Amino acid sequence: MSTGTPSPQATTTPVRFRRSASRLTAGQAKNLRDSFAAVQGIDDDRGYGYHAGIHGLPLPIGCDNAHGSPYFLPWHRAYLYFFERALRDQVPDAMLTWWDWRISPTRAAKIPKVFAVKTVDRKRNPLFSAKVDPLALSQGGNQVPATTVREPGAPGAPSLPSVADVEAVLNLSDFVDFTTQLEGLHNDVHVWTGGHMGQIAYAAFDPVFWAHHCMIDRIWRLWQLRHPGSLPPASLLDQALPPFRMTVRQTLSVTALGYDYAVASSSTQPPTP
Ligand SMILES: [Cu+2]
C-alpha cells in the first residue's frame, strides 16, 4: 500500500482547475486519455488497478466506512486527490473532469462523449472501459466481465438527478442533511449507469466513476461556497480517512489541495445548449 504519500499540506502547488467533461478542449481531453492509458499500463501502486481497487475489491474494501456515513464526501475527496496525483505523475497537465449528469427538460440523460466513444483515432479509448483487477474478479466469484461495461438507463433504473434535485440539496444548510441527500442522488447515478458502476465492489474500475465522483466533489465545493460556516460534525474533523494519510479537516479546502472547479462553470445553472 502506498500510504506513505506526503500530506497535501506539504506542497505549495498553485491552484489548477478541473473542468466539465463536455467542455474539454482537444488538448485537455487528450491529456486525460493519455494519463488514463498510462496508469492503466502500470501494475504497481502507481497504476489504475491499484487505485480502482482501493474502493471495493480486491479486499480490503477501502470505502467500507465511506458510504452511508458522514465520511462519504471527505473520503472520496481524498480518494480523487491521490488518483489525480497518480494521473499527473504520468501526464503532468492532466486533471480530473466532472460529468454533469443533471437532467432537465432541455438536458437529456447521457454519458459524456469523451467517456462514451469506444475509439479515438482508431485506438482504444481508455476512458470508455478498463480491465478489472483479476484478484478482484476472483474474490467476487467472477460474476462480472473482466473489462468494464455500462448499461445506461436500463429498464427499472432510477432516472438521473435533475437540476432541481441538485438545487434542493445545495440549499440544505446542515452538513449531515446535505451529505445524506447528496449520497442518495449519487447512488442513482451509479445504478443508472449500470454494469460495473452499479456495484460498489467494481464501480471504480469504470473510468466514468472518477468523473461521477468529481461531480459529487464539485457539488460539495459549491455547497461550501453557499454555506461558508457549515462544517462536518466537530467530532469528525481530526479523524483519519484510511488508507489515505489525510484527515477530514485536511479535505475541507480544495484550494489547499491545489485544485478548484473552473469559475465560469461553477454556476449551478445548466449550461446553455
Ligand atoms: Cu460512488
Side-chain angles (χ1 to χ4, degrees), residues 123-269:
K123 284 192 304 197
R124 183 186 85 83
N125 177 11
L127 306 178
F128 175 73
S129 67
K131 286 203 178 81
V132 181
D133 181 313
L135 185 59
L137 285 176
S138 68
Q139 287 177 349
N142 292 297
Q143 290 179 357
V144 293
T147 302
T148 61
V149 295
R150 302 173 190 140
E151 202 186 343
S159 65
L160 289 175
S162 68
V163 171
D165 292 333
V166 171
E167 190 54 28
V169 300
L170 280 169
N171 279 330
L172 298 168
S173 57
D174 177 72
F175 179 83
V176 173
D177 293 343
F178 166 69
T179 185
T180 304
Q181 296 296 318
L182 180 57
E183 187 172 353
L185 299 183
H186 142 275
N187 292 344
D188 289 347
V189 177
H190 276 282
V191 178
W192 181 87
T193 307
H196 292 68
M197 271 284 276
Q199 302 188 39
I200 283 188
Y202 300 106
F205 286 97
D206 185 330
V208 87
F209 168 93
W210 305 97
H212 169 34
H213 268 276
C214 195
M215 175 67 171
I216 295 296
D217 190 64
R218 172 174 169 266
I219 293 172
W220 183 20
R221 169 65 167 150
L222 296 173
W223 180 87
Q224 289 181 302
L225 291 169
R226 196 176 290 195
H227 306 278
S230 293
L231 293 175
S235 60
L236 300 189
L237 292 179
D238 294 307
Q239 299 297 314
L241 298 166
F244 310 113
R245 287 173 59 104
M246 209 181 270
T247 62
V248 171
R249 192 189 301 280
Q250 287 172 316
T251 66
L252 295 181
S253 166
V254 293
T255 54
L257 294 172
Y259 72 91
D260 203 345
Y261 291 95
V263 176
S265 3
S266 63
S267 147
T268 54
Q269 296 309 306

Side-chain angles (χ1 to χ4, degrees), residues 24-114:
L24 299 177
T25 65
Q28 289 162 350
K30 183 174 188 305
N31 285 340
L32 191 65
R33 282 192 299 271
D34 289 352
S35 63
F36 269 71
V39 294
Q40 287 168 7
I42 300 175
D43 284 332
D44 59 26
D45 63 8
R46 299 167 302 150
Y48 192 80
Y50 169 78
H51 286 271
I54 289 173
H55 191 261
L57 291 175
L59 298 169
I61 298 202
C63 70
D64 243 2
N65 218 357
H67 294 97
S69 88
Y71 291 106
F72 172 68
L73 293 169
W75 191 90
H76 285 87
R77 179 167 282 174
Y79 190 32
L80 296 186
Y81 170 83
F82 286 107
F83 178 63
E84 187 172 68
R85 277 191 15 172
L87 293 177
R88 292 172 57 78
D89 283 344
Q90 303 304 319
V91 176
D93 289 334
M95 289 296 291
L96 289 176
T97 183
W98 78 79
W99 166 21
D100 187 349
W101 30 247
R102 297 171 306 156
I103 55 170
S104 78
T106 56
R107 287 173 56 85
K110 63 171 195 284
I111 290 173
K113 195 173 166 209
V114 279

